[in-house]
Amino acid sequence: MVPRWRSGSAGSALGLPAWGAATGPRGLAPYASRPEWSRGRRVPEALAPDRNAFQRDRDRIVHSTAFRRLVYKTQVFLNHEGDLFRTRLTHSLEVAQLARSMARGLGLHEDLVEALALAHDLGHTPFGHAGQDALDACMKNHGGFEHNLQSLRVVDVLEQRYPDFDGLNLSFETREGILKHCSLRVARHMESLEPHGVAHRFVAGYQPSLEAQLCNLADEIAYNAHDVDDGVRSGLITLDQLMGLRLVRRFHDEAVREHPGLPAMGRRRLLSEVLRRMLSAQVHDLMGTTGARLARARPADAEQARQGSALVGFSPAMRADITELKRFLFRALYRHAQVQRQTQRGKVVVHDLFEAYVQRPSEMPAEYAQRPDTHRAVADYVAGMTDRFALREHERLTGQRVFP
Ligand code: MG
């Protein structure tokens, strides 16, 4: 059988509009991913009567254990530092909201972007990037650790909820979109296990689906905005510092011009309004830039849209402004001594836990303790932990309290 996902003329065969028509059935553009053309699941399953394949993926993600754990995982600020800071869960919800509204505007498949957004951080360790760096160092001689690969591992292997398969048995398009980046060495290894699989594009050099491209940028829009918000809330960065950035200054001035009374209403409200305008501007820029590129490239279907350079993106001017903001956040927030001090402690916790479980695997639940690949089992177990569970386990195993 000719795989349907390869067929460039399948659109007309199925009565879908030629390019030119703005959108097809249910508002989908010709270049949107379509669940009915899905390359399917690793373990074949009957179609659900009431949901398309991507909706079913999204539902499985929302009901997974890894998804619930995101609520107690660090984004930038450690989970116990304050109740109002973003966690991985609220971050993922913000990404999903942004990605869905942009997908709707561009005629892309909303259910696929929603599934991808909700799953994109499932593989993150406790204590944010510090936790991942520590775990990667621990796994140096055992294949390393990378949170993005781990997200795929969570949905492919680690979730254990169904009688017929390990993992969530998601459709190919969702699994492929979850694998955002991958070294050539790892991609070749994955290809040897799953030929023409989710890592194929890294070997053959083509783009991820438009839905996956959109999710990556929605992730960026979301964290740039909420890290500014959380950064100011924490007191580590100030609005005055932010005024040195083009993006902030422009929307601050615009907001004050339209609402002269705004500065007197408090800094919180002023910042929220500036961030809201910044976010909208990035969304509109992305939609305009992407729409223009799509109109020029006129991809006949989702597969053709993946050839050549990425079609989803910002204008060069917006990209430059976003880069300026990111550099600032890196310098002033992520590298701030106070954030570093906390994340350094997170690293110690991850490192100590890893050592303790490798020496005494029986301290882990049986399904991890009994695995023959001890180091990978420990990495999977530690990576799945929430911040506070990791701290409890650390205290239990070492008798130390790292965070006073
Ligand atoms: Mg993210």
Side-chain angles (χ1 to χ4, degrees):
M1 191 184 98
V2 180
R4 281 182 298 179
W5 54 273
R6 272 181 172 286
S7 168
S9 60
S12 47
L14 290 177
L16 299 172
W19 213 91
T23 54
R26 285 165 293 128
L28 283 187
Y31 43 75
S33 295
R34 284 159 198 272
E36 60 274 24
W37 292 359
S38 171
R39 288 177 58 184
R41 303 175 190 276
R42 295 205 294 178
V43 178
E45 292 182 68
L47 294 177
D50 48 352
R51 292 172 295 170
N52 70 50
F54 302 151
Q55 289 175 319
R56 203 179 194 184
D57 289 349
R58 175 206 57 206
D59 296 350
R60 287 181 180 185
I61 291 160
V62 168
H63 290 286
S64 70
T65 309
F67 185 73
R68 279 194 300 283
R69 287 180 178 144
L70 294 177
V71 75
Y72 293 114
K73 285 195 176 193
T74 288
Q75 182 70 23
V76 172
F77 295 92
L78 299 191
N79 187 244
H80 63 264
E81 289 185 291
D83 290 349
L84 295 181
F85 295 127
R86 267 67 173 191
T87 68
R88 294 252 169 234
L89 181 69
T90 52
H91 162 70
S92 299
L93 294 175
E94 289 181 35
V95 176
Q97 180 271 317
L98 283 167
R100 280 184 57 192
S101 46
M102 291 192 287
R104 189 177 299 188
L106 291 166
L108 298 178
H109 209 291
E110 246 182 279
D111 298 326
L112 179 57
V113 296
E114 189 179 17
L116 290 176
L118 296 178
H120 86 281
D121 273 351
L122 288 180
H124 267 287
T125 61
F127 311 117
H129 282 278
Q132 118 116 22
D133 292 348
L135 203 48
D136 186 39
C138 294
M139 289 293 285
K140 191 163 170 268
N141 298 321
H142 308 279
F145 179 89
E146 206 278 319
H147 67 84
N148 186 224
L149 276 175
Q150 191 71 6
S151 296
L152 188 63
R153 205 169 148 68
V154 166
V155 301
D156 275 357
V157 185
L158 294 177
E159 282 287 324
Q160 310 214 321
R161 326 174 52 80
Y162 298 91
D164 294 331
F165 44 78
D166 284 342
L168 304 177
N169 199 33
L170 302 181
S171 52
F172 180 87
E173 293 71 19
T174 304
R175 295 178 54 238
E176 191 197 33
I178 288 174
L179 191 63
K180 284 190 289 193
H181 35 79
C182 183
S183 70
L184 195 55
R185 184 182 59 79
V186 173
R188 289 201 172 113
H189 175 67
M190 291 175 73
E191 270 294 285
S192 71
L193 302 174
E194 184 188 355
H196 221 98
V198 291
H200 185 257
R201 72 180 186 87
F202 297 101
V203 178
Y206 53 95
Q207 304 295 333
S209 66
L210 296 174
E211 284 82 359
Q213 293 177 36
L214 184 65
C215 256
N216 290 345
L217 294 180
D219 186 22
E220 200 180 332
I221 295 175
Y223 66 66
N224 283 335
H226 64 50
D227 288 352
V228 168
D229 193 32
D230 285 352
V232 172
R233 189 185 298 278
S234 70
L236 298 184
I237 55 178
T238 63
L239 190 54
D240 291 337
Q241 276 179 299
L242 289 162
M243 289 292 277
L245 303 170
R246 287 190 296 273
L247 210 49
V248 175
R249 163 132 245 146
R250 182 175 352 134
F251 294 109
H252 169 273
D253 293 354
E254 185 190 275
V256 172
R257 211 166 38 242
E258 288 176 29
H259 304 278
L262 188 56
M265 297 170 90
R267 299 220 129 193
R268 198 65 257 156
R269 202 190 291 239
L270 175 62
L271 180 66
S272 296
E273 180 59 16
V274 174
L275 287 175
R276 192 182 67 72
R277 285 168 187 254
M278 265 171 55
L279 215 107
S280 299
Q282 290 171 70
V283 165
H284 290 140
D285 181 274
L286 184 146
M287 306 249 312
T289 306
T290 305
R293 286 183 190 166
L294 285 164
R296 256 197 317 276
R298 301 171 69 89
D301 57 25
E303 283 306 313
Q304 215 180 81
R306 306 176 56 169
Q307 311 304 322
S309 54
L311 290 170
V312 183
F314 297 107
S315 68
M318 181 57 85
R319 179 39 87 190
D321 287 356
I322 292 172
T323 302
E324 185 192 48
L325 171 63
K326 285 168 88 104
R327 289 207 176 113
F328 167 79
L329 283 174
F330 193 79
R331 200 175 60 241
L333 184 62
Y334 310 143
R335 281 285 170 89
H336 192 287
Q338 201 173 314
V339 170
Q340 292 272 295
R341 200 159 45 239
Q342 298 292 72
T343 53
Q344 198 53 41
R345 289 172 172 163
K347 278 189 182 181
V348 171
V349 171
V350 167
H351 180 266
D352 290 352
L353 284 176
F354 188 88
E355 291 294 310
Y357 293 128
V358 165
Q359 277 163 30
R360 288 174 287 156
S362 62
E363 295 287 352
M364 296 188 292
E367 68 261 36
Y368 293 95
Q370 287 162 5
R371 274 169 48 180
D373 52 339
T374 304
H375 289 89
R376 184 57 63 188
V378 171
D380 287 338
Y381 185 51
V382 174
M385 292 179 178
T386 61
D387 290 13
R388 59 186 196 169
F389 181 72
L391 290 176
R392 274 207 303 274
E393 277 293 278
H394 186 264
E395 197 175 336
R396 181 179 75 82
L397 294 166
T398 67
Q400 294 165 26
R401 193 173 271 193
V402 174
F403 291 94

